Amino acid sequence: MTTITSGLPETSSSDYYLLDELLTDEARDVRDRVRGFVDRDLLPIINDYWDRAEFPFELVPKIAQLGLVGSTISGYGCPGLSRLAAGVLTRELARGDGSVNTFFGVQTGLAMGSIALLGSEEQKQRWLPGMAALDTIGAFALTEPGHGSDAVRLETTARRDGDHWVLDGAKRWIGNASFADVVVVWARDVEDGRVKAIVVEKDADGRYPDGYSADLITGKIGKRAVWQPDITLRGVRVPVENKLDEAQSFRDATRVLTSTRGGAAWESLGHAIAAYEIALAYAADRHQFGKPIASFQLVQHKLAEMLAEITAMQLYCFRMADLQEQGRLTGPMASLAKMHHARKARQVCLDARDILGGNGLLIEHHVARHLTDMEVVHTYEGTDSIQSLIVGRDLTGISAFT
């Protein structure tokens, strides 16, 4: 990642309000470990993978070596991080690359999170240790071709047939699902009409059950280095013990999503910080009309506006982590943070691209990658329109969903 040019005053840092001074020793250690991985292992190679739309499998064992997979989950080989340390982890990964952060988030927050929150003790012992070591890769299959924002209306079905569940339907934008070892599939039980979570897994030979197929979605403008395929399920038979014990309705899927929505805010912050720091360094080094563009009023104004947004985002995130630790963060609170951060980070990345001019269009400067990745963040985990309706319902007591 481009670093801030030496000679600039310390107050030009993205941590303008010195919030990193409030980090615990644990969070500071996480920050340093992840930042070292990003600078040493990720940034030298990620643009090539992103450009080719290929997943960087070579980074998986290096991510495992960080010892951070599982994030806030305690036991089962997971680190049991505080909410603040987990947020900093996401921020630092996103400062490096959104695709790798999505891979990690799907593994840790969605797949492992579903099992940790809704699985029986036997199911946790069965899957989580291997997932924490990244020997077992997970996916989370909720979104469907016809159901994104209204995922509550999902049409994939689960039918009990003796000692098996039989799954039929289709899923879309399912990260990791073309190579995952376990896929948490959300489906509607045809008997009671309620939504359940059933884990589809590879056999000992690494093969998916008959009827399961995953086709990569191609042509993406963002998050190009993470694979998000379409899944087709045609009579897929899954042992009855693979249904997560505590997953009894769509409310349980919502519980998982609420617990991860704060991560989208931390990710947005990471993209914004990366873009801002690159733009600041570039402005100091780029000369036009005989002087650095950092000396131009318009550029300084833009940088100050970017920093103001980042500082507000940091304050949101730190308070959100505190509320999560206390068990007081509500779904609408998480929605407000996601809505605000996705919008603001998107603009910060746009402003950074503008400061870099034509060079901002080149992925070698990283800003274009962060900008287009933010287009993805702006949509997933609920668009800003959906988040605003969640907050609006909480404010007024009236649902505006149709």
Side-chain angles (χ1 to χ4, degrees):
M1 182 180 296
T2 306
T3 55
I4 297 174
T5 303
S6 60
L8 290 170
E10 290 187 8
T11 51
S12 64
S13 163
S14 57
D15 186 20
Y16 209 69
Y17 275 20
L18 310 179
L19 288 170
D20 269 12
E21 292 183 2
L22 303 179
L23 294 179
T24 60
D25 289 342
E26 175 195 51
R28 192 170 291 110
D29 174 63
V30 168
R31 177 198 65 192
D32 294 343
R33 266 194 276 173
V34 179
R35 202 172 280 185
F37 159 74
V38 165
D39 291 342
R40 179 185 62 251
D41 300 313
L42 188 152
L43 285 175
I45 67 169
I46 195 59
N47 280 344
D48 288 339
Y49 281 102
W50 193 94
D51 194 31
R52 299 196 306 267
E54 294 180 3
F55 180 73
F57 285 101
E58 67 177 280
L59 292 179
V60 172
K62 296 177 181 179
I63 295 171
Q65 289 169 9
L66 294 173
L68 299 173
V69 181
S71 187
T72 59
I73 300 171
S74 295
Y76 314 100
C78 302
L81 298 178
S82 69
R83 293 293 182 171
L84 179 60
V88 169
L89 191 169
T90 299
R91 181 192 74 185
E92 293 300 320
L93 275 181
R95 283 179 79 169
D97 178 64
S99 296
V100 172
N101 181 69
T102 291
F103 164 77
F104 188 94
V106 169
Q107 175 79 4
T108 290
L110 294 175
M112 295 179 71
S114 296
I115 295 167
L117 186 65
L118 305 171
S120 66
E121 182 60 28
E122 185 278 330
Q123 289 170 332
K124 295 174 189 178
Q125 294 285 356
R126 179 179 169 189
W127 288 309
L128 289 179
M131 297 178 82
L134 285 184
D135 294 328
T136 302
I137 303 301
F140 177 90
L142 176 63
T143 302
E144 297 184 351
H147 301 286
S149 295
D150 67 342
V152 67
R153 298 178 181 272
L154 65 85
E155 298 177 50
T156 297
T157 61
R159 175 175 54 86
R160 181 73 181 267
D161 181 22
D163 293 335
H164 289 80
W165 288 97
V166 181
L167 300 174
D168 287 282
K171 298 292 183 178
R172 187 165 175 79
W173 298 111
I174 310 305
N176 305 347
S178 57
F179 58 88
D181 302 288
V182 295
V183 183
V184 180
V185 176
W186 293 86
R188 191 173 304 281
D189 187 342
V190 297
E191 183 175 344
D192 62 14
R194 297 169 72 85
V195 173
K196 314 289 174 65
I198 299 170
V199 178
V200 176
E201 62 182 330
K202 290 179 177 176
D203 63 19
D205 295 322
R207 295 175 300 194
Y208 290 113
D210 290 342
Y212 177 98
S213 62
D215 298 305
L216 286 182
I217 297 172
T218 60
K220 296 188 299 180
I221 66 165
K223 301 266 185 163
R224 289 173 55 81
V226 68
W227 288 347
Q228 297 166 297
D230 286 317
I231 295 177
T232 302
L233 303 153
R234 293 192 180 95
V236 176
R237 298 182 67 83
V238 182
V240 68
E241 60 267 23
N242 280 28
K243 177 197 166 292
L244 295 183
D245 270 15
E246 301 302 319
Q248 303 297 343
S249 72
F250 190 80
R251 288 182 182 274
D252 296 313
T254 301
R255 289 168 61 195
V256 176
L257 294 174
T258 297
S259 70
T260 62
R261 190 159 290 138
W266 280 100
E267 179 184 358
S268 298
L269 174 61
H271 287 298
I273 288 174
Y276 164 77
E277 290 182 344
I278 293 166
L280 181 60
Y282 185 89
D285 291 338
R286 175 69 168 174
H287 284 65
Q288 292 286 278
F289 305 104
K291 53 186 176 181
I293 64 172
S295 66
F296 298 161
Q297 291 179 346
L298 288 174
V299 172
Q300 289 192 11
H301 174 76
K302 189 161 289 187
L303 289 169
E305 291 284 341
M306 294 162 71
L307 179 60
E309 301 293 10
I310 287 170
T311 302
M313 293 165 67
Q314 289 169 329
L315 292 167
Y316 261 84
C317 282
F318 272 64
R319 179 56 177 162
M320 183 172 59
D322 189 38
L323 290 170
Q324 283 179 303
E325 208 65 54
Q326 299 174 40
R328 296 169 60 201
L329 185 77
T330 66
M333 286 177 179
S335 290
L336 183 67
K338 198 279 178 176
M339 178 186 75
H340 175 272
H341 283 44
R343 186 181 301 166
K344 298 302 184 181
R346 190 188 200 188
Q347 187 60 53
V348 168
C349 290
L350 278 170
D351 289 341
R353 210 292 302 163
D354 190 50
I355 288 173
L356 268 67
N359 285 330
L361 302 172
L362 303 174
I363 61 171
E364 68 184 80
H365 294 283
H366 301 292
V367 168
R369 178 164 49 80
H370 287 289
L371 171 60
T372 52
D373 283 356
M374 266 310 306
E375 288 297 316
V376 180
V377 181
H378 194 261
T379 297
Y380 73 24
E381 293 280 358
T383 65
D384 65 339
S385 297
I386 293 298
Q387 304 300 350
S388 68
L389 294 181
I390 293 172
V391 175
R393 180 177 59 193
D394 191 54
L395 294 177
T396 65
I398 303 170
S399 176
F401 289 95
T402 56

